[in-house]
Amino acid sequence: MRNKDLIEKLKIQRGLAEDEWVQIIDTFDEEDLRFAMDTARGITIERFGKKIYFRGIVEFTNVCRNDCYYCGIRAGNSNCARYRLDEEDILACCEDGYAHGFRTFVLQGGEDPYYTKEKICGIVRRISERFPDCAVTMSIGELDRDFYQALYDAGARRYLLRHESADASHYAMLHPASQKLESRMRCLKDLKEIGFQTGCGIMVGSPYQTSRHIAKDMMFMAEFKPEMVGLGPFIPHRDTPFRDEPAGSVDLTLMVIALTRIMLPDALIPSTTALGTAEAEGRQKGVLAGCNVVMPNLSPMEVRKKYMLYDGKVGTDMSAETGIRTLRAQMEEIGYEVVVARGDFQRR
Ligand code: SAH
């Protein structure tokens, strides 16, 4: 079957066979990409209009016990100046964000044992009480089920945990042996069962990734049905084992975004900072490929340069205010409007 016919088939069946995914990824040309993006964008506009949800990210700690080979804040990077925000700092970021129209706060950080269950749940509870009309999203890695349940009970309703690769051997090439795909999958399952709107996802073009790996990622997502999907190109960081690996391709990232949207019409899919870093117009292109979320940074200026997951991360040299204004202008430039809303997942 031609790639365009496979894309049509995906739209109807919301899934493809492994070899069909592999074919599209291996052989798509410029015209196929345009067709996939047009199809995905049509589905997004029909479902959400030309509205983009804003989420404010607070990067509250760059301390991490893990050693992911791709990540700039990995434990083994001794060139990384570590920081932690305290409860009052975090609340102040949310206060600032609320005034700018944010109705979702994403607390993201390394896996930092300093923030015990009691500590972090206390912070989540305060944010939920202070901003009852806002959603709290967590992105703090792998925790045990009790911990996830406690976060939910404290008021968090969404959780972002990219699966990074649905193939165990590929996953093992991106992480030390102590980090297992099995454990990541258990976390994702627990999160869904507890009732979180759950986000998974991958870096496109991560080292050693093949088209068959991406096919497996798509098949995993067809089955898992995440409410949110995070997709961005891999970008090397100079202080990691992957410093000399090539960055992921923007076109392949856009193709994966478009295919994900066609497969999961209701999903919340952010146009990521990594996409905006890989290319000046990256975030606009992400929206044109079916993204419907952007996540500006609300972290205090002083810490931004310290939360460097990859080299050249955009937005680290501007205030929250300027970052928001820039993103709003980028969206308006392509005819989209940024809305003040929680933007919860809704199945149709
Ligand atoms: N510690 C948390 C949150 C921070 S990392 C967690 O692991 O979930 C958030 C995401 O950034 C990761 O899931 C990864 O996919 C992405 N990321 C990390 N390093 C990157 C790099 N070098 N290039 C592109 N994306 C990267």
Side-chain angles (χ1 to χ4, degrees):
M1 234 188 259
R2 295 181 318 151
N3 286 336
K4 280 188 186 171
D5 296 325
L6 289 178
I7 291 165
E8 290 284 3
K9 182 173 165 189
L10 172 64
K11 186 175 172 183
I12 297 161
Q13 299 191 353
R14 306 220 177 147
L16 290 174
E18 188 172 324
D19 287 340
E20 295 175 326
W21 287 116
V22 169
Q23 178 192 311
I24 299 181
I25 293 153
D26 278 342
T27 68
F28 77 88
D29 60 16
E30 225 172 284
E31 213 185 302
D32 295 326
L33 176 59
R34 195 170 325 116
F35 181 74
M37 286 175 66
D38 289 349
T39 305
R41 185 165 67 250
I43 291 170
T44 318
I45 293 172
E46 191 182 313
R47 179 71 180 74
F48 299 95
K50 287 191 165 184
K51 293 191 194 320
I52 302 293
Y53 297 116
F54 259 41
R55 324 290 198 198
I57 308 197
V58 183
E59 299 156 339
F60 69 95
T61 173
N62 71 349
V63 178
C64 193
R65 62 179 172 191
N66 287 338
D67 231 351
C68 308
Y69 299 148
Y70 44 85
C71 185
I73 64 167
R74 61 201 301 269
N77 179 9
S78 53
N79 286 334
C80 176
R82 306 288 169 171
Y83 74 89
R84 291 182 173 121
L85 299 185
D86 67 21
E87 188 163 328
E88 298 310 320
D89 297 331
I90 297 171
L91 260 295
C93 293
C94 297
E95 209 65 65
D96 196 29
Y98 193 87
H100 282 101
F102 288 84
R103 296 298 177 265
T104 294
F105 302 117
V106 183
L107 299 193
Q108 189 178 85
E111 295 195 12
D112 181 355
Y114 169 84
Y115 294 91
T116 57
K117 181 157 62 178
E118 289 64 36
K119 233 181 231 137
I120 197 76
C121 288
I123 295 170
V124 170
R125 202 166 291 114
R126 268 191 76 189
I127 298 173
S128 320
E129 282 167 9
R130 174 72 187 82
F131 308 102
D133 54 340
C134 295
V136 179
T137 304
M138 304 304 295
S139 177
I140 53 173
E142 297 188 23
L143 299 164
D144 59 35
R145 190 180 173 120
D146 283 356
F147 203 138
Y148 287 148
Q149 183 67 56
L151 287 168
Y152 190 90
D153 296 341
R157 286 294 176 271
R158 304 186 194 142
Y159 204 103
L160 305 175
L161 183 69
R162 291 192 185 171
H163 64 287
E164 313 294 359
S165 174
D167 179 275
S169 63
H170 181 229
Y171 192 90
M173 296 178 202
L174 303 177
H175 304 98
S178 56
Q179 292 174 245
K180 295 255 184 294
L181 177 60
E182 212 186 325
S183 156
R184 176 119 330 203
M185 290 298 181
R186 192 229 85 219
C187 290
L188 285 167
K189 188 165 159 275
D190 283 347
L191 288 164
K192 258 223 158 168
E193 281 174 10
I194 290 168
F196 281 100
Q197 295 169 45
T198 305
C200 64
I202 60 166
M203 295 176 288
V204 176
S206 62
Y208 313 110
Q209 185 184 60
T210 65
S211 50
R212 203 156 286 277
H213 294 144
I214 298 177
K216 281 197 174 180
D217 293 318
M218 299 308 291
M219 291 168 73
F220 163 66
M221 292 199 285
E223 189 205 304
F224 184 66
K225 299 188 174 54
E227 283 79 19
M228 304 170 286
V229 184
L231 299 164
F234 162 75
I235 300 172
H237 185 291
R238 70 180 98 84
D239 297 317
T240 63
F242 289 162
R243 63 179 67 87
D244 296 323
E245 298 291 334
S249 129
V250 169
D251 279 355
L252 180 56
T253 305
L254 294 171
M255 187 52 136
V256 174
I257 289 171
L259 296 172
T260 302
R261 165 61 66 205
I262 297 166
M263 181 168 81
L264 302 168
D266 297 331
L268 295 155
I269 306 178
S271 195
T272 51
T273 308
L275 196 51
T277 298
E279 205 178 290
E281 311 260 286
R283 267 193 291 215
Q284 293 91 312
K285 288 186 180 173
V287 169
L288 298 176
C291 293
N292 63 334
V293 171
V294 284
M295 302 171 72
N297 195 324
L298 290 179
S299 311
M301 270 307 260
E302 316 84 77
V303 305
R304 288 191 181 206
K305 283 199 190 322
K306 298 180 183 161
Y307 199 84
M308 279 289 179
L309 305 182
Y310 43 81
D311 290 336
K313 186 177 164 210
V314 290
T316 58
D317 54 353
M318 47 173 102
S319 66
E321 169 101 48
T322 312
I324 296 159
R325 208 169 333 108
T326 306
L327 268 172
R328 199 183 291 273
Q330 286 178 346
M331 296 300 107
E332 285 169 3
E333 187 190 303
I334 52 171
Y336 283 73
E337 172 203 4
V338 170
V339 295
V340 177
R342 275 174 61 114
D344 281 296
F345 177 83
Q346 286 172 295
R347 199 176 308 278
R348 277 231 180 124

Short mmCIF file of all heavy atoms in Angstrom, two decimals, residues 288-346:
data_model
loop_
_atom_site.label_atom_id
_atom_site.label_comp_id
_atom_site.label_asym_id
_atom_site.label_seq_id
_atom_site.Cartn_x
_atom_site.Cartn_y
_atom_site.Cartn_z
N LEU A 288 1.12 22.82 13.48
CA LEU A 288 0.60 22.52 12.14
C LEU A 288 0.60 21.01 11.88
O LEU A 288 -0.04 20.55 10.94
CB LEU A 288 1.41 23.27 11.08
CG LEU A 288 1.35 24.82 11.21
CD1 LEU A 288 2.25 25.50 10.19
CD2 LEU A 288 -0.09 25.34 11.08
N ALA A 289 1.29 20.25 12.71
CA ALA A 289 1.30 18.78 12.59
C ALA A 289 0.34 18.12 13.57
O ALA A 289 0.29 16.90 13.67
CB ALA A 289 2.71 18.24 12.80
N GLY A 290 -0.42 18.95 14.33
CA GLY A 290 -1.44 18.34 15.19
C GLY A 290 -1.26 18.54 16.69
O GLY A 290 -2.03 18.01 17.48
N CYS A 291 -0.25 19.31 17.11
CA CYS A 291 -0.12 19.61 18.54
C CYS A 291 -1.20 20.61 18.95
O CYS A 291 -1.62 21.44 18.15
CB CYS A 291 1.26 20.20 18.85
SG CYS A 291 2.61 19.03 18.62
N ASN A 292 -1.60 20.55 20.23
CA ASN A 292 -2.61 21.50 20.71
C ASN A 292 -2.28 22.06 22.10
O ASN A 292 -3.16 22.56 22.79
CB ASN A 292 -4.00 20.86 20.70
CG ASN A 292 -4.10 19.68 21.64
OD1 ASN A 292 -3.11 19.03 21.94
ND2 ASN A 292 -5.30 19.39 22.11
N VAL A 293 -1.03 21.92 22.50
CA VAL A 293 -0.59 22.39 23.81
C VAL A 293 0.80 23.02 23.66
O VAL A 293 1.60 22.55 22.85
CB VAL A 293 -0.48 21.20 24.81
CG1 VAL A 293 0.17 21.61 26.11
CG2 VAL A 293 -1.84 20.56 25.07
N VAL A 294 1.06 24.10 24.39
CA VAL A 294 2.45 24.57 24.54
C VAL A 294 2.73 24.77 26.03
O VAL A 294 1.82 25.06 26.81
CB VAL A 294 2.79 25.87 23.77
CG1 VAL A 294 2.97 25.60 22.29
CG2 VAL A 294 1.77 26.95 24.01
N MET A 295 3.96 24.60 26.42
CA MET A 295 4.30 24.60 27.83
C MET A 295 5.41 25.60 28.15
O MET A 295 6.57 25.22 28.29
CB MET A 295 4.72 23.18 28.24
CG MET A 295 3.62 22.16 27.97
SD MET A 295 4.13 20.44 28.19
CE MET A 295 4.27 20.33 29.94
N PRO A 296 5.06 26.87 28.29
CA PRO A 296 6.09 27.85 28.63
C PRO A 296 6.64 27.62 30.04
O PRO A 296 5.98 27.03 30.89
CB PRO A 296 5.37 29.19 28.57
CG PRO A 296 4.03 28.94 28.01
CD PRO A 296 3.74 27.49 28.14
N ASN A 297 7.83 28.12 30.21
CA ASN A 297 8.57 27.94 31.45
C ASN A 297 8.22 29.03 32.45
O ASN A 297 8.26 30.21 32.12
CB ASN A 297 10.05 28.05 31.04
CG ASN A 297 10.98 27.55 32.07
OD1 ASN A 297 10.72 27.72 33.25
ND2 ASN A 297 12.06 26.95 31.64
N LEU A 298 7.85 28.62 33.67
CA LEU A 298 7.57 29.60 34.72
C LEU A 298 8.68 29.66 35.77
O LEU A 298 8.56 30.35 36.78
CB LEU A 298 6.25 29.24 35.43
CG LEU A 298 4.95 29.39 34.66
CD1 LEU A 298 3.78 28.96 35.54
CD2 LEU A 298 4.75 30.83 34.19
N SER A 299 9.75 28.92 35.56
CA SER A 299 10.82 28.85 36.56
C SER A 299 11.49 30.21 36.72
O SER A 299 11.55 30.99 35.77
CB SER A 299 11.87 27.83 36.15
OG SER A 299 11.26 26.62 35.78
N PRO A 300 11.99 30.50 37.93
CA PRO A 300 12.69 31.77 38.13
C PRO A 300 13.92 31.87 37.21
O PRO A 300 14.58 30.86 36.95
CB PRO A 300 13.14 31.71 39.60
CG PRO A 300 12.33 30.62 40.22
CD PRO A 300 11.93 29.68 39.14
N MET A 301 14.17 33.08 36.73
CA MET A 301 15.31 33.34 35.84
C MET A 301 16.62 32.71 36.32
O MET A 301 17.37 32.13 35.54
CB MET A 301 15.54 34.85 35.74
CG MET A 301 14.80 35.56 34.65
SD MET A 301 15.08 34.82 33.06
CE MET A 301 16.32 35.93 32.39
N GLU A 302 16.89 32.83 37.63
CA GLU A 302 18.19 32.41 38.17
C GLU A 302 18.47 30.93 37.96
O GLU A 302 19.63 30.52 37.93
CB GLU A 302 18.30 32.66 39.69
CG GLU A 302 17.79 33.99 40.20
CD GLU A 302 16.28 33.96 40.44
OE1 GLU A 302 15.83 33.41 41.45
OE2 GLU A 302 15.57 34.52 39.57
N VAL A 303 17.43 30.12 37.84
CA VAL A 303 17.69 28.67 37.77
C VAL A 303 17.56 28.10 36.35
O VAL A 303 17.94 26.96 36.10
CB VAL A 303 16.75 27.88 38.72
CG1 VAL A 303 16.87 28.41 40.14
CG2 VAL A 303 15.30 27.91 38.25
N ARG A 304 17.05 28.92 35.43
CA ARG A 304 16.73 28.36 34.12
C ARG A 304 17.89 27.71 33.41
O ARG A 304 17.75 26.65 32.80
CB ARG A 304 16.19 29.45 33.23
CG ARG A 304 14.82 29.82 33.67
CD ARG A 304 14.19 30.67 32.66
NE ARG A 304 12.88 31.01 33.18
CZ ARG A 304 11.87 31.32 32.42
NH1 ARG A 304 12.03 31.36 31.13
NH2 ARG A 304 10.72 31.58 32.96
N LYS A 305 19.05 28.37 33.46
CA LYS A 305 20.21 27.83 32.75
C LYS A 305 20.72 26.55 33.41
O LYS A 305 21.54 25.84 32.83
CB LYS A 305 21.32 28.88 32.68
CG LYS A 305 21.05 29.96 31.64
CD LYS A 305 22.35 30.67 31.29
CE LYS A 305 22.16 31.93 30.45
NZ LYS A 305 21.11 31.87 29.42
N LYS A 306 20.25 26.29 34.61
CA LYS A 306 20.70 25.08 35.31
C LYS A 306 19.82 23.87 35.00
O LYS A 306 20.16 22.75 35.33
CB LYS A 306 20.72 25.33 36.83
CG LYS A 306 21.69 26.43 37.23
CD LYS A 306 21.68 26.66 38.72
CE LYS A 306 22.60 27.82 39.08
NZ LYS A 306 22.28 28.35 40.41
N TYR A 307 18.67 24.13 34.39
CA TYR A 307 17.81 23.00 34.02
C TYR A 307 18.01 22.72 32.53
O TYR A 307 17.12 22.88 31.70
CB TYR A 307 16.34 23.32 34.32
CG TYR A 307 15.46 22.08 34.41
CD1 TYR A 307 15.38 21.35 35.60
CD2 TYR A 307 14.73 21.64 33.32
CE1 TYR A 307 14.59 20.22 35.69
CE2 TYR A 307 13.93 20.50 33.41
CZ TYR A 307 13.87 19.80 34.59
OH TYR A 307 13.08 18.67 34.68
N MET A 308 19.23 22.31 32.20
CA MET A 308 19.61 22.08 30.81
C MET A 308 19.57 20.59 30.52
O MET A 308 20.51 19.87 30.82
CB MET A 308 21.04 22.60 30.57
CG MET A 308 21.10 24.07 30.33
SD MET A 308 20.40 24.48 28.71
CE MET A 308 20.61 26.25 28.77
N LEU A 309 18.48 20.12 29.95
CA LEU A 309 18.38 18.70 29.61
C LEU A 309 19.22 18.41 28.37
O LEU A 309 19.70 17.31 28.17
CB LEU A 309 16.93 18.32 29.37
CG LEU A 309 15.94 18.65 30.49
CD1 LEU A 309 14.54 18.17 30.14
CD2 LEU A 309 16.38 18.02 31.81
N TYR A 310 19.36 19.45 27.51
CA TYR A 310 20.12 19.31 26.25
C TYR A 310 20.69 20.68 25.92
O TYR A 310 20.25 21.70 26.46
CB TYR A 310 19.21 18.81 25.12
CG TYR A 310 17.85 19.47 25.10
CD1 TYR A 310 17.67 20.73 24.53
CD2 TYR A 310 16.75 18.88 25.71
CE1 TYR A 310 16.45 21.36 24.55
CE2 TYR A 310 15.51 19.51 25.74
CZ TYR A 310 15.37 20.74 25.15
OH TYR A 310 14.16 21.38 25.18
N ASP A 311 21.68 20.70 25.01
CA ASP A 311 22.34 21.97 24.67
C ASP A 311 21.39 22.92 23.94
O ASP A 311 20.56 22.50 23.14
CB ASP A 311 23.56 21.70 23.76
CG ASP A 311 24.70 21.01 24.50
OD1 ASP A 311 24.76 21.13 25.74
OD2 ASP A 311 25.51 20.34 23.83
N GLY A 312 21.55 24.20 24.22
CA GLY A 312 20.86 25.24 23.44
C GLY A 312 19.39 25.42 23.75
O GLY A 312 18.69 26.11 23.01
N LYS A 313 18.90 24.81 24.82
CA LYS A 313 17.47 24.88 25.17
C LYS A 313 16.95 26.32 25.08
O LYS A 313 17.50 27.22 25.71
CB LYS A 313 17.28 24.32 26.57
CG LYS A 313 15.85 24.19 27.01
CD LYS A 313 15.77 23.55 28.40
CE LYS A 313 14.43 23.75 29.04
NZ LYS A 313 14.51 23.80 30.50
N VAL A 314 15.90 26.53 24.31
CA VAL A 314 15.38 27.89 24.13
C VAL A 314 14.62 28.36 25.38
O VAL A 314 14.08 27.56 26.12
CB VAL A 314 14.43 28.03 22.91
CG1 VAL A 314 15.20 27.92 21.61
CG2 VAL A 314 13.28 27.04 22.97
N GLY A 315 14.62 29.67 25.56
CA GLY A 315 13.81 30.26 26.63
C GLY A 315 14.56 30.43 27.94
O GLY A 315 14.02 31.00 28.88
N THR A 316 15.81 29.96 28.01
CA THR A 316 16.52 30.04 29.29
C THR A 316 17.05 31.45 29.55
O THR A 316 17.49 31.74 30.65
CB THR A 316 17.71 29.05 29.35
OG1 THR A 316 18.60 29.34 28.28
CG2 THR A 316 17.24 27.62 29.24
N ASP A 317 17.02 32.30 28.51
CA ASP A 317 17.56 33.65 28.69
C ASP A 317 16.44 34.69 28.78
O ASP A 317 16.69 35.87 28.72
CB ASP A 317 18.49 33.99 27.52
CG ASP A 317 17.80 33.79 26.18
OD1 ASP A 317 16.66 33.27 26.16
OD2 ASP A 317 18.40 34.16 25.15
N MET A 318 15.19 34.24 28.89
CA MET A 318 14.11 35.23 28.99
C MET A 318 13.24 34.99 30.22
O MET A 318 13.16 33.89 30.74
CB MET A 318 13.28 35.24 27.71
CG MET A 318 12.86 33.90 27.18
SD MET A 318 11.74 34.06 25.80
CE MET A 318 12.76 33.77 24.38
N SER A 319 12.59 36.06 30.65
CA SER A 319 11.70 35.97 31.81
C SER A 319 10.45 35.18 31.44
O SER A 319 10.16 34.97 30.26
CB SER A 319 11.29 37.37 32.24
OG SER A 319 10.50 37.95 31.23
N ALA A 320 9.70 34.74 32.45
CA ALA A 320 8.44 34.03 32.21
C ALA A 320 7.55 34.88 31.31
O ALA A 320 7.01 34.42 30.31
CB ALA A 320 7.74 33.73 33.53
N GLU A 321 7.49 36.15 31.65
CA GLU A 321 6.68 37.12 30.91
C GLU A 321 7.03 37.14 29.42
O GLU A 321 6.16 37.01 28.56
CB GLU A 321 6.96 38.50 31.55
CG GLU A 321 6.45 39.69 30.83
CD GLU A 321 5.15 40.18 31.47
OE1 GLU A 321 5.13 40.32 32.71
OE2 GLU A 321 4.20 40.42 30.73
N THR A 322 8.32 37.28 29.13
CA THR A 322 8.77 37.34 27.73
C THR A 322 8.54 36.00 27.03
O THR A 322 8.13 35.95 25.87
CB THR A 322 10.26 37.72 27.66
OG1 THR A 322 10.48 38.84 28.49
CG2 THR A 322 10.69 38.04 26.24
N GLY A 323 8.80 34.91 27.75
CA GLY A 323 8.60 33.58 27.18
C GLY A 323 7.15 33.37 26.75
O GLY A 323 6.88 32.86 25.67
N ILE A 324 6.24 33.80 27.61
CA ILE A 324 4.82 33.65 27.31
C ILE A 324 4.44 34.51 26.11
O ILE A 324 3.74 34.07 25.20
CB ILE A 324 3.97 34.06 28.54
CG1 ILE A 324 4.24 33.12 29.71
CG2 ILE A 324 2.48 34.10 28.20
CD1 ILE A 324 3.88 33.70 31.07
N ARG A 325 4.95 35.75 26.13
CA ARG A 325 4.62 36.66 25.03
C ARG A 325 5.13 36.09 23.69
O ARG A 325 4.44 36.14 22.68
CB ARG A 325 5.20 38.06 25.30
CG ARG A 325 4.37 39.11 24.63
CD ARG A 325 4.65 40.58 25.03
NE ARG A 325 5.18 40.82 26.34
CZ ARG A 325 6.45 41.19 26.57
NH1 ARG A 325 7.30 41.32 25.57
NH2 ARG A 325 6.86 41.44 27.79
N THR A 326 6.35 35.55 23.72
CA THR A 326 6.93 34.97 22.51
C THR A 326 6.07 33.82 21.98
O THR A 326 5.74 33.77 20.79
CB THR A 326 8.36 34.45 22.81
OG1 THR A 326 9.11 35.51 23.38
CG2 THR A 326 9.05 33.94 21.56
N LEU A 327 5.69 32.94 22.88
CA LEU A 327 4.89 31.78 22.44
C LEU A 327 3.52 32.20 21.92
O LEU A 327 3.03 31.68 20.93
CB LEU A 327 4.71 30.81 23.61
CG LEU A 327 5.78 29.73 23.67
CD1 LEU A 327 5.65 28.94 24.95
CD2 LEU A 327 5.66 28.79 22.48
N ARG A 328 2.92 33.15 22.62
CA ARG A 328 1.61 33.64 22.19
C ARG A 328 1.70 34.22 20.77
O ARG A 328 0.87 33.91 19.90
CB ARG A 328 1.12 34.71 23.16
CG ARG A 328 -0.37 34.98 23.11
CD ARG A 328 -0.75 36.10 24.07
NE ARG A 328 -0.63 35.74 25.47
CZ ARG A 328 -1.59 35.15 26.19
NH1 ARG A 328 -2.75 34.87 25.63
NH2 ARG A 328 -1.40 34.86 27.45
N ALA A 329 2.77 34.99 20.53
CA ALA A 329 2.97 35.59 19.20
C ALA A 329 3.20 34.49 18.16
O ALA A 329 2.67 34.57 17.04
CB ALA A 329 4.14 36.56 19.24
N GLN A 330 3.97 33.47 18.52
CA GLN A 330 4.23 32.37 17.57
C GLN A 330 2.93 31.68 17.17
O GLN A 330 2.75 31.29 16.02
CB GLN A 330 5.18 31.33 18.19
CG GLN A 330 6.62 31.81 18.28
CD GLN A 330 7.54 30.79 18.95
OE1 GLN A 330 7.08 29.83 19.57
NE2 GLN A 330 8.84 30.99 18.81
N MET A 331 2.03 31.52 18.14
CA MET A 331 0.76 30.85 17.85
C MET A 331 -0.13 31.74 16.99
O MET A 331 -0.78 31.27 16.05
CB MET A 331 0.04 30.47 19.16
CG MET A 331 0.78 29.47 20.03
SD MET A 331 1.07 27.90 19.20
CE MET A 331 2.82 27.95 18.85
N GLU A 332 -0.14 33.04 17.30
CA GLU A 332 -1.00 33.96 16.55
C GLU A 332 -0.52 34.11 15.10
O GLU A 332 -1.32 34.23 14.18
CB GLU A 332 -1.09 35.31 17.27
CG GLU A 332 -2.01 35.19 18.48
CD GLU A 332 -1.97 36.39 19.43
OE1 GLU A 332 -1.25 37.37 19.14
OE2 GLU A 332 -2.67 36.31 20.48
N GLU A 333 0.78 34.04 14.95
CA GLU A 333 1.41 34.11 13.63
C GLU A 333 0.83 33.05 12.68
O GLU A 333 0.71 33.29 11.48
CB GLU A 333 2.91 33.85 13.90
CG GLU A 333 3.92 33.99 12.80
CD GLU A 333 5.25 33.42 13.33
OE1 GLU A 333 5.75 33.91 14.38
OE2 GLU A 333 5.77 32.47 12.72
N ILE A 334 0.45 31.90 13.20
CA ILE A 334 -0.09 30.84 12.34
C ILE A 334 -1.61 30.70 12.51
O ILE A 334 -2.21 29.70 12.10
CB ILE A 334 0.60 29.48 12.61
CG1 ILE A 334 0.60 29.13 14.10
CG2 ILE A 334 2.04 29.49 12.08
CD1 ILE A 334 1.07 27.71 14.41
N GLY A 335 -2.24 31.73 13.10
CA GLY A 335 -3.70 31.76 13.14
C GLY A 335 -4.33 31.00 14.30
O GLY A 335 -5.51 30.65 14.23
N TYR A 336 -3.55 30.72 15.33
CA TYR A 336 -4.08 30.01 16.50
C TYR A 336 -4.18 30.95 17.69
O TYR A 336 -3.49 31.97 17.75
CB TYR A 336 -3.18 28.82 16.85
CG TYR A 336 -3.38 27.63 15.94
CD1 TYR A 336 -2.91 27.66 14.62
CD2 TYR A 336 -4.05 26.50 16.37
CE1 TYR A 336 -3.10 26.59 13.76
CE2 TYR A 336 -4.25 25.42 15.52
CZ TYR A 336 -3.76 25.47 14.22
OH TYR A 336 -3.95 24.41 13.38
N GLU A 337 -5.05 30.56 18.63
CA GLU A 337 -5.31 31.42 19.78
C GLU A 337 -5.00 30.64 21.06
O GLU A 337 -5.33 29.47 21.20
CB GLU A 337 -6.80 31.79 19.72
CG GLU A 337 -7.33 32.52 20.89
CD GLU A 337 -8.86 32.35 21.01
OE1 GLU A 337 -9.45 31.60 20.21
OE2 GLU A 337 -9.42 32.96 21.93
N VAL A 338 -4.35 31.33 21.98
CA VAL A 338 -4.01 30.72 23.25
C VAL A 338 -5.18 30.92 24.21
O VAL A 338 -5.68 32.02 24.34
CB VAL A 338 -2.76 31.42 23.82
CG1 VAL A 338 -2.50 31.00 25.24
CG2 VAL A 338 -1.56 31.10 22.93
N VAL A 339 -5.64 29.84 24.86
CA VAL A 339 -6.83 29.99 25.70
C VAL A 339 -6.53 29.82 27.19
O VAL A 339 -5.63 29.09 27.58
CB VAL A 339 -7.97 29.02 25.27
CG1 VAL A 339 -8.45 29.37 23.88
CG2 VAL A 339 -7.52 27.57 25.34
N VAL A 340 -7.32 30.53 28.00
CA VAL A 340 -7.24 30.42 29.45
C VAL A 340 -8.22 29.32 29.87
O VAL A 340 -9.42 29.53 29.90
CB VAL A 340 -7.62 31.75 30.13
CG1 VAL A 340 -7.61 31.62 31.66
CG2 VAL A 340 -6.66 32.85 29.69
N ALA A 341 -7.70 28.12 30.10
CA ALA A 341 -8.57 26.99 30.46
C ALA A 341 -7.72 25.87 31.02
O ALA A 341 -6.54 25.77 30.71
CB ALA A 341 -9.33 26.49 29.23
N ARG A 342 -8.34 25.03 31.85
CA ARG A 342 -7.61 23.87 32.36
C ARG A 342 -7.25 22.92 31.23
O ARG A 342 -6.20 22.32 31.23
CB ARG A 342 -8.50 23.09 33.35
CG ARG A 342 -8.49 23.58 34.77
CD ARG A 342 -9.52 22.80 35.59
NE ARG A 342 -9.23 21.37 35.62
CZ ARG A 342 -8.88 20.71 36.73
NH1 ARG A 342 -8.80 21.35 37.88
NH2 ARG A 342 -8.63 19.43 36.68
N GLY A 343 -8.17 22.76 30.29
CA GLY A 343 -7.91 21.88 29.16
C GLY A 343 -7.70 20.44 29.55
O GLY A 343 -6.70 19.83 29.21
N ASP A 344 -8.68 19.89 30.28
CA ASP A 344 -8.60 18.48 30.65
C ASP A 344 -8.87 17.58 29.44
O ASP A 344 -9.52 17.99 28.49
CB ASP A 344 -9.65 18.16 31.73
CG ASP A 344 -9.19 18.63 33.10
OD1 ASP A 344 -8.19 18.09 33.58
OD2 ASP A 344 -9.83 19.55 33.66
N PHE A 345 -8.39 16.36 29.54
CA PHE A 345 -8.67 15.36 28.51
C PHE A 345 -10.16 15.04 28.51
O PHE A 345 -10.77 14.86 29.56
CB PHE A 345 -7.88 14.07 28.82
CG PHE A 345 -8.16 12.95 27.85
CD1 PHE A 345 -7.50 12.90 26.63
CD2 PHE A 345 -9.10 11.98 28.14
CE1 PHE A 345 -7.75 11.87 25.73
CE2 PHE A 345 -9.37 10.95 27.24
CZ PHE A 345 -8.68 10.90 26.04
N GLN A 346 -10.74 14.98 27.32
CA GLN A 346 -12.13 14.55 27.20
C GLN A 346 -12.24 13.59 26.02
O GLN A 346 -11.75 13.89 24.93
CB GLN A 346 -13.05 15.74 26.95
CG GLN A 346 -13.28 16.59 28.19
CD GLN A 346 -14.03 17.86 27.87
OE1 GLN A 346 -13.54 18.72 27.15
NE2 GLN A 346 -15.25 17.95 28.37
#
